[in-house]
Amino acid sequence: MGSEMCIRDSNYAKTLKTVLKEVEDSLIYLDKAEKISGSIKAQVDALKEAEKLVEAKYDNGLVGYLEFLTTKRNLFDARINSLEAQRAEIYSYVNFIKALGGGWEDEYSKQ
């Protein structure tokens, strides 16, 4: 009976360590995702201002159409990156909730 108790305690300790490691890892990934998302958002905001300036310059004939389009493309690319970063942040939240023991069902797992 004593050895069974030791085995159960050992298994419990291993499970607890695994769970704590998963929670810690998910917090680290969540923190990184939030920082990346914030950084990219700042980039988008800066590119929005640049777009306004280039558009005004273009309207006044101070820059060419290529520079105008390049600025718009850069903003578009940054917005795509921002959406991808937001998606990664949301997945990090979901993984954190899962690590805490929360369930997660999506519409695909029901099929």
Side-chain angles (χ1 to χ4, degrees):
M1 180 128 187
S3 66
E4 283 182 28
M5 184 87 107
C6 287
I7 291 172
R8 269 189 262 139
D9 287 347
S10 175
N11 289 340
Y12 179 77
K14 287 177 186 177
T15 301
L16 187 60
K17 284 180 184 179
T18 301
V19 168
L20 290 175
K21 177 75 171 131
E22 288 174 359
V23 169
E24 182 181 29
D25 289 347
S26 66
L27 280 172
I28 291 169
Y29 291 131
L30 179 58
D31 184 55
K32 287 179 182 180
E34 287 175 341
K35 287 178 181 175
I36 290 169
S37 186
S39 172
I40 293 175
K41 185 186 179 318
Q43 181 186 20
V44 168
D45 292 342
L47 286 168
K48 284 180 185 177
E49 289 300 315
E51 179 191 35
K52 289 178 189 175
L53 293 173
V54 169
E55 192 169 342
K57 287 181 179 182
Y58 176 74
D59 290 342
N60 291 314
L62 299 174
V63 297
Y65 192 59
L66 181 60
E67 186 173 344
F68 174 76
L69 289 178
T70 300
T71 303
K72 290 219 176 255
R73 185 193 64 214
N74 290 342
L75 176 58
F76 180 75
D77 290 343
R79 285 181 172 160
I80 290 173
N81 290 338
S82 178
L83 290 173
E84 290 172 354
Q86 288 173 8
R87 180 179 52 85
E89 188 175 354
I90 290 168
Y91 283 149
S92 294
Y93 276 110
V94 170
N95 288 332
F96 175 64
I97 291 168
K98 281 181 170 180
L100 289 174
W104 185 267
E105 287 187 30
D106 57 22
E107 57 192 62
Y108 302 109
S109 64
K110 293 178 184 177
Q111 295 175 354

